[in-house]
Amino acid sequence: MKASDTYAVEPWCLRETRLELGDLARSESLFALSNGHIGLRGNLDEGEPFGLPGTYLNGCYERRPLPYAEAGYGYPESGQTVINVTNGKIMRLLVGDEPFDLRYGTLRAHERTLDFRTGVLQRCVEWVSPAGQAVQLRTQRLVSFTHRAVAAIRYELQPLDTASRLVVQSELVANEELPRPHADPRVAAVLASPLVPEASDVRALSAELVHRTRLSGLRVAAAMDHLVDTPSQVSTDTTHDDDWARTTFATRLEPGQVLCIDKVMAWGWSQARSLPAMRDQVAGALSGAMHSGWTGLAREQREHLDQFWECADVQIEGDAELQQAVRFSLFHVLQSAARAERRPIPAKGLTGPGYDGHCFWDTETFVLPVLTHTVPHATADVLRWRQDTLPLARERARQLTLRGAAFPWRTINGEECSSYWPAGTAAFHVNADIADAVVRYLAATEDEEFEHDTGLELLVETARLWRSLGHRTLEGRFRIDGITGPDEYSAVADNNVYTNLMAARNLRAAAGAAARHPRHAARLGVDADEVAAWRDAAANVIVPWDEVLGVHPQSEAFTAHERWNFDDTPPENYPLLLHYPYFDLYRKQVVKQADLVLALHLCGDQFTSEQKRRDFDYYEGLTVRDSSLSACTQSIVAAEVGHLGLAYDYAAEAAFMDLHDLEHNTRDGLHMAALAGAWLTLVHGFGGMRDHGQHLAFRPQLPEGIDRLTFGVARGASRLRVDVMPQEVAYTLMAGPGPLTIAHQDESLTLVVGDTVARPIGRRPRHPRPQQPPGRAPVRRRTQDPSTHE
């Protein structure tokens, strides 16, 4: 389903023009609100009907066993699943004595709008009850960027034709009944009643509930309070039980009179704080938000977003749908991280329970590059969370008989919570991905305090893992054997190109940081011999090469494997992991997601232009994109090697991953890496931005279909604007403490604040469009051009 089938194409919002009850779960993900600490799915205010209820707190989870038919040494024994905590969104309505339920009566109008500039989800409904009483309901909902623990609702109700008795029930509900999961293994495990009641209380129009998770031992507190405004008399009552609290408002209104209820909610969780401390914490957050009121909270929300968009906005001329999609994507990426504050960014953010709420390597490789150049403090917070989990990563490394730290394949609290799986357990590249995020953050911010307090320790411990995981050959080469790269259709391979190159970068970066901060490095036990060993391993790491084909094998001997029989693979058998055994995928040339091609992007300074073109074309014929992580990388490299039309196709796939539900699992939450990929395809792809060296470098080129591309990036205290046109690019330093040096193609440019420097764009060579596996080509964005050339 295309977004335009249900959602209007507008530059600054996502507007639902009709309600599809059969598609509620997807719309609940699209309309989700979050600040990185709290996540509220876009459920209807009245609670029912729903697709999948969801209220989440970042890092709040329940444990569950990981059973094995046969146990093995080092197998994780328990997993973690994000839980649906106490729901404060519910505002039930009775008109007369009939419940407001869109499945009954007559729905005259229904519209929802997620505004990217105000950060508010708005809803307007006109409904006629089965008894013929018509009402209009307007609601606004936000999760605050300025009050970390707070969300709020403005609820406005009026009769339209006749006087009506109206009852509104504002609720807190714990242990909601959830729908059964479907057969897709990517869907989170559903845990029944994970919250054990500890305390509840009500006062006037406020209430609070405190619970504790059964197995993980986390204490969760939730509270609500209200302000009410109406010209008519209102009677109120607040009551509670262990798992719910309810404030009831009853009144009688004439047509045109309005009942306005402002509801403010606060949540918190902790593994260590006492019950009184948690109760007082949410009460304090609630008091601060009530002081601001709805008007103050909404004003602060707009001001916060004004600052974000001033730097982060990407403007596109020529493709209105892509313009909407990239702003939708940036808004949700911001929501995933703005107030995470030393917590992870899950693969689905806080928009749904998909992937059990786990954080993967996606965060560092796809999401943090966007945040580093738009909201850099959010990147620092995520990396500080990784540092906080180092004790667990060191213990995991010891369990695997390795030195340093082995960061988990998937986690919520820092423990490995993926059951044994070769494509995950052996995916040590997550260490290098974290190190790479550190390196890029430091290059962008020159944050010396972060480097010696956080970055150095992360670089040292990840470098130690590579030095113990790899080994030197008799010829002095450095091998890393028996690991898994980004492609999950290959496992336990030797000398994966992506992993080896990223490990070498990790080793060089650790050596450099230790040299810059010898006193801090000494406290970590680093000496000259260890630094020398890191430099030697990095200089001698093996990068396989196939002399016959003239391409880089994804891993050693990969190009000698039998090719997957794509011609006899029916379309309904994708994704392959759901229809074929992994052992068969592992021994064939078939690629789930960009792996070698990801190396061409992130380690592009290690390849020649000709190698990039030949490698890209070769792996296009093998990559089936059974992962949402692939399209953005393929778009970026396609643009670099001259396949601009193909790059445009892939860019659209990344940008529309959730708006068009391309993976058919948006119902379980949005794909944060694909959303970040929408920015990457435009800025790294068509903007040609690279940050391999000391200075930002640009080689922009627009595809037919995009007439102009303008974007901003933060570089330390400087803010750069790049304006790309078909024949020319203009660079403007909008703010900064002094000159900024960048590279345009092979020319060095020094910019001063307020000045614009323009340079021509040369056309790249045109090459035949490479072929994808049958049925796996991206949808053509520029359908009027059937040419096989770019």
Side-chain angles (χ1 to χ4, degrees):
M1 181 183 295
K2 293 185 65 175
S4 56
D5 293 339
T6 305
Y7 306 104
V9 176
E10 300 181 46
W12 281 105
C13 69
L14 183 69
R15 188 186 308 276
E16 182 184 60
T17 54
R18 68 173 187 269
L19 185 67
E20 298 282 354
L21 292 180
D23 197 35
L24 276 178
R26 181 173 76 121
S27 67
E28 290 163 356
S29 296
L30 298 176
F31 287 129
L33 295 175
S34 174
N35 63 6
H37 178 63
I38 302 167
L40 306 182
R41 281 176 62 80
N43 305 113
L44 301 177
D45 303 278
E46 56 274 17
E48 297 181 17
F50 59 77
L52 181 64
T55 301
Y56 310 109
L57 295 176
N58 195 345
C60 191
Y61 65 91
E62 183 60 297
R63 292 192 179 276
R64 57 185 175 84
L66 294 174
Y68 299 93
E70 295 183 21
Y73 176 79
Y75 286 13
E77 296 179 354
S78 66
Q80 302 158 10
T81 296
V82 65
I83 59 171
N84 178 35
V85 299
T86 309
N87 183 3
K89 302 188 296 287
I90 296 176
M91 303 280 285
R92 302 193 194 278
L93 167 65
L94 287 85
V95 180
D97 58 358
E98 294 179 289
F100 170 56
D101 188 322
L102 298 180
R103 293 167 294 190
Y104 306 97
T106 302
L107 185 61
R108 287 182 180 171
H110 192 282
E111 182 176 283
R112 286 189 290 178
T113 304
L114 179 61
D115 192 313
F116 311 144
R117 288 176 294 191
T118 64
V120 173
L121 175 62
Q122 303 171 59
R123 182 187 184 204
C124 182
V125 187
E126 289 190 12
W127 179 76
V128 182
S129 74
Q133 291 184 288
V135 294
Q136 181 187 77
L137 173 65
R138 292 182 178 273
T139 67
Q140 300 178 76
R141 181 189 301 174
L142 65 81
V143 174
S144 177
F145 290 128
T146 55
H147 296 250
R148 180 172 183 258
V150 167
I153 296 171
R154 169 157 283 187
Y155 189 92
E156 297 175 295
L157 177 66
Q158 65 173 314
L160 293 179
D161 301 326
T162 60
S164 299
R165 283 186 297 109
L166 303 171
V167 176
V168 178
Q169 298 170 318
S170 175
E171 301 187 2
L172 290 175
V173 180
N175 292 316
E176 291 178 286
E177 184 176 352
L178 300 177
R180 291 184 177 182
H182 46 72
D184 189 333
R186 295 168 292 186
V187 178
V190 175
L191 303 177
S193 300
L195 297 173
V196 178
E198 287 195 320
S200 57
D201 192 20
V202 298
R203 292 179 303 277
L205 302 182
S206 67
E208 62 189 34
L209 300 176
V210 183
H211 289 76
R212 196 175 183 91
T213 56
R214 295 180 185 277
L215 301 177
S216 59
L218 306 181
R219 182 167 281 118
V220 180
M224 66 177 180
D225 203 349
H226 305 82
L227 294 171
V228 59
D229 181 23
T230 183
S232 183
Q233 184 177 357
V234 178
S235 60
T236 63
D237 177 63
T238 302
T239 187
H240 69 101
D241 203 338
D242 286 344
D243 278 347
W244 58 267
R246 179 195 305 129
T247 297
T248 302
F249 304 86
T251 188
R252 184 180 187 279
L253 295 183
E254 298 294 329
Q257 290 184 320
V258 177
L259 170 66
C260 178
I261 301 171
D262 289 342
K263 179 178 185 179
V264 180
M265 302 152 281
W267 288 266
W269 72 268
S270 174
Q271 193 167 31
R273 292 192 186 97
S274 67
L275 190 155
M278 288 304 303
R279 181 192 60 212
D280 293 347
Q281 177 183 327
V282 295
L286 202 60
S287 296
M290 289 291 287
H291 177 74
S292 294
W294 172 265
T295 301
L297 291 171
R299 182 184 65 253
E300 293 167 9
Q301 193 85 338
R302 177 63 188 253
E303 290 170 352
H304 186 95
L305 282 164
D306 284 346
Q307 293 179 11
F308 170 72
W309 290 117
E310 185 178 4
C311 175
D313 190 26
V314 175
Q315 300 171 46
I316 301 169
E317 293 182 13
D319 192 330
E321 192 177 18
L322 189 60
Q323 174 68 87
Q324 178 189 44
V326 71
R327 285 182 175 143
F328 170 85
S329 299
L330 278 168
F331 177 74
H332 275 291
V333 168
L334 173 67
Q335 287 201 130
S336 75
R339 300 302 304 271
E341 296 174 8
R342 300 180 90 118
R343 295 291 173 193
I345 298 177
K348 295 276 191 176
L350 297 178
T351 66
Y355 305 115
D356 282 324
H358 292 167
C359 170
F360 296 76
W361 66 288
D362 312 12
T363 296
E364 282 78 14
T365 301
F366 298 94
V367 180
L368 293 196
V370 180
L371 295 174
T372 293
H373 292 291
T374 56
V375 195
H377 72 82
T379 294
D381 280 340
V382 173
L383 293 173
R384 289 188 182 102
W385 166 72
R386 288 291 193 183
Q387 183 187 28
D388 291 342
T389 68
L390 268 172
L392 294 170
R394 291 189 186 102
E395 176 58 33
R396 180 63 174 161
R398 285 193 292 270
Q399 189 178 36
L400 299 174
T401 69
L402 298 168
R403 294 189 65 222
F407 283 98
W409 172 242
R410 56 192 299 171
T411 189
I412 293 178
N413 77 342
E415 293 177 286
E416 178 62 78
C417 60
S418 172
S419 56
Y420 172 76
W421 179 45
T425 303
F428 292 102
H429 68 82
V430 64
N431 265 36
D433 301 324
I434 293 167
D436 186 61
V438 170
V439 171
R440 294 181 193 277
Y441 171 78
L442 291 173
T445 64
E446 299 179 348
D447 186 344
E448 186 173 337
E449 181 180 356
F450 174 89
E451 182 174 24
H452 58 65
D453 288 350
T454 298
L456 175 64
E457 188 175 21
L458 288 171
L459 293 172
V460 164
E461 296 295 359
T462 50
R464 283 172 170 162
L465 177 118
W466 296 117
R467 191 64 186 83
S468 64
L469 185 63
H471 70 280
R472 286 175 61 90
T473 67
L474 294 176
E475 297 81 16
R477 305 303 304 282
F478 188 70
R479 298 182 60 89
I480 304 176
D481 295 329
I483 56 87
T484 301
D487 172 31
E488 296 167 9
Y489 286 171
S490 301
V492 195
D494 297 340
N495 292 313
N496 173 261
V497 171
Y498 173 84
T499 302
N500 283 18
L501 288 175
M502 293 287 281
R505 173 177 289 176
N506 189 167
L507 290 160
R508 288 192 298 269
R516 287 190 297 276
H517 304 285
R519 183 168 55 86
H520 294 85
R523 285 205 296 263
L524 298 172
V526 178
D527 58 26
D529 289 343
E530 187 170 28
V531 170
W534 293 340
R535 294 190 191 278
D536 180 72
N540 290 285
V541 72
I542 289 176
V543 179
W545 173 255
D546 187 321
E547 293 283 358
V548 176
L549 294 174
V551 298
H552 289 90
Q554 180 172 284
S555 299
E556 208 163 68
F558 178 81
T559 49
H561 292 177
E562 181 184 359
R563 290 175 70 96
W564 185 264
N565 185 353
F566 296 108
D567 290 336
D568 292 336
T569 303
E572 62 271 17
N573 279 13
Y574 290 96
L576 299 178
L577 77 157
L578 298 182
H579 299 91
Y580 300 95
Y582 266 109
F583 88 89
D584 203 22
L585 296 169
Y586 291 159
R587 65 196 188 96
K588 300 286 178 61
Q589 285 192 70
V590 57
V591 179
K592 180 182 181 184
Q593 63 210 60
D595 185 311
L596 190 283
V597 175
L598 185 60
L600 302 181
H601 172 212
L602 296 183
C603 304
D605 52 345
Q606 302 297 307
F607 301 87
T608 68
S609 296
E610 180 62 17
Q611 287 173 342
K612 289 179 184 179
R613 187 183 68 80
R614 290 181 62 86
D615 285 347
F616 178 81
D617 287 2
Y618 183 83
Y619 286 95
E620 275 297 282
L622 302 176
T623 304
V624 295
R625 297 194 323 287
D626 283 349
S627 166
S628 62
L629 301 181
S630 198
C632 73
T633 299
Q634 288 173 275
S635 175
I636 292 164
V637 180
E640 182 175 0
V641 301
H643 299 305
L644 286 172
L646 181 60
Y648 192 18
D649 299 341
Y650 281 135
E653 183 171 305
F656 300 141
M657 185 63 63
D658 289 310
L659 285 173
H660 294 185
D661 198 11
L662 300 181
E663 289 281 313
H664 309 295
N665 63 355
T666 297
R667 71 182 307 278
D668 305 309
L670 305 179
H671 298 79
M672 288 301 132
L675 293 171
W679 185 92
L680 292 170
T681 60
L682 294 168
V683 174
H684 286 218
F686 304 133
M689 189 179 89
R690 295 292 185 273
D691 54 357
H692 298 316
Q694 182 181 0
H695 303 299
L696 289 177
F698 297 87
R699 289 183 177 272
Q701 187 88 71
L702 295 182
E704 293 182 31
I706 296 180
D707 301 325
R708 190 169 190 160
L709 171 66
T710 304
F711 58 88
V713 293
R715 189 73 170 178
S718 300
R719 186 162 52 83
L720 176 69
R721 187 181 70 196
V722 182
D723 191 3
V724 186
M725 293 154 280
Q727 305 299 326
E728 183 181 77
V729 58
Y731 303 101
T732 305
L733 187 58
M734 304 298 292
L740 177 69
T741 299
I742 64 171
H744 168 73
Q745 297 178 355
D746 297 320
E747 179 187 4
S748 178
L749 302 176
T750 299
L751 308 174
V752 297
V753 175
D755 283 355
T756 297
V757 177
R759 287 293 184 270
I761 296 174
R763 294 291 297 178
R764 294 175 189 169
R766 294 163 63 90
H767 303 292
R769 186 181 178 109
Q771 295 298 304
Q772 294 76 33
R776 306 309 291 169
V779 174
R780 288 288 182 102
R781 188 67 182 157
R782 188 159 39 92
T783 55
Q784 72 273 19
D785 179 14
S787 170
T788 59
H789 283 71
E790 299 294 341

